[in-house]
Amino acid sequence: MAIRAVIQGDRPELRRTCKPVSELSDAVRRLAEDLMETVQAEYAGSLAAVQCGVPVSLFVTCADGTPRVWLNAEVVARGPDVRGGESCASFPGLVVESVRPEWLLVRTWTLDGRVEERRVDGVEARLVAHELDHLRGTLLPDLVSESDLLAQLLAAVADTAGDEPETHAVDEDVQQILDLMADAAWKWNLAVELLAAYTTDAEAAKRLKRLRRRVARLSTEADEWEAWLLNLAESGSEHASADPEG
């Protein structure tokens, strides 16, 4: 088994329609094993072969610690739609509110060549529906409008800010610095998530990956400086003898 690289962003490779698996070869079994190891390494709930560059009708799920392989899956029946949060290994950090069936009855092949029907409910139904979208080239940002996506991202930022603990009173100059850093950090994070929808080629995806790392570092730096400044304010010092990196 091996951990495979997961394609990230709105890439042409993820927009392909996947072909059915025509033969249960050793290569198909190895692919299924690799996907299962990869989904566990990514701490994800599910993963499709196409997300690792193999456009065939194969995906894996791991809901409540139960690993399952799905080959040539097709929906036989479905329950009523419900709203819920959804994420994707190809769009790390992005969570959207989407509509999915409450339950699904799915016909699928097994790795030993049998055809069986499985009923899945709740989270597992959402995972299966998500991966069936991948087989058709439908991606997570497609589930919501650009305005709704922006609104959800802004709401997430507001919720995060609302969860922050109360801080010690600081003077106006220090508070202005803290506000500016917090404002810059969340705006860069928001910009990175919105840019993911436009990374349609390999070069842009590489640049976005580099930018994501830099923004993550910026957020970390902002947190470190905030802690240092608040500690400074609490101690009553007007100046610092060392920066937060020591």
Side-chain angles (χ1 to χ4, degrees):
M1 293 190 295
I3 297 175
R4 301 205 176 200
V6 178
I7 299 171
Q8 296 185 356
D10 192 344
R11 300 273 295 278
E13 299 97 312
L14 296 179
R15 291 294 183 180
R16 294 178 288 186
T17 300
C18 296
K19 298 179 180 179
V21 175
S22 58
E23 180 184 1
L24 292 176
S25 63
D26 289 341
V28 169
R29 292 185 174 87
R30 284 195 301 272
L31 174 60
E33 292 175 351
D34 289 352
L35 290 178
M36 191 58 69
E37 184 168 357
T38 304
V39 80
Q40 293 171 349
E42 292 282 337
Y43 299 100
S46 59
L47 190 68
V50 68
Q51 291 176 268
C52 297
V54 185
V56 297
S57 183
L58 166 60
F59 63 88
V60 300
T61 60
C62 190
D64 298 325
T66 304
R68 284 183 170 180
V69 178
W70 306 75
L71 290 157
N72 300 335
E74 56 181 345
V75 175
V76 176
R78 56 184 291 158
D81 287 338
V82 293
R83 299 188 71 86
E86 189 165 335
S87 59
C88 179
S90 290
F91 295 89
L94 178 62
V95 179
V96 303
E97 185 177 354
S98 62
V99 175
R100 294 293 192 187
E102 187 175 18
W103 59 264
L104 287 171
L105 182 63
V106 181
R107 183 179 296 117
T108 179
W109 289 13
T110 65
L111 285 176
D112 57 8
R114 294 180 295 108
V115 176
E116 64 181 25
E117 290 187 354
R118 301 172 183 168
R119 170 165 171 147
V120 290
D121 299 87
V123 172
E124 191 170 20
R126 181 169 289 274
L127 293 174
V128 170
H130 178 96
E131 298 309 328
L132 287 171
D133 271 357
H134 271 300
L135 303 184
R136 297 185 288 265
T138 300
L139 303 180
L140 186 63
D142 299 338
L143 303 183
V144 293
S145 67
E146 289 188 11
S147 58
D148 285 346
L149 179 60
L150 178 60
Q152 289 180 30
L153 289 169
L154 289 172
V157 171
D159 288 343
T160 301
D163 291 338
E164 292 179 354
E166 293 185 4
T167 59
H168 298 280
V170 296
D171 63 43
E172 291 184 3
D173 289 340
V174 172
Q175 187 60 56
Q176 183 179 29
I177 296 171
L178 293 173
D179 291 343
L180 287 170
M181 288 194 299
D183 187 62
W186 82 255
K187 284 182 177 178
W188 268 112
N189 277 285
L190 178 60
V192 167
E193 298 305 336
L194 295 176
L195 276 171
Y198 298 91
T199 53
T200 56
D201 58 73
E203 180 59 31
K206 289 180 181 178
R207 292 174 61 190
L208 181 62
K209 189 174 183 179
R210 290 196 298 268
L211 178 59
R212 194 185 297 278
R213 287 198 298 265
R214 291 168 181 168
V215 171
R217 179 57 183 164
L218 173 64
S219 297
T220 301
E221 291 277 5
D223 290 342
E224 291 173 353
W225 277 105
E226 178 181 9
W228 182 74
L229 283 169
L230 290 175
N231 182 65
L232 179 68
E234 184 180 8
S235 67
S237 301
E238 294 185 358
H239 301 285
S241 59
D243 68 32
E245 294 185 352

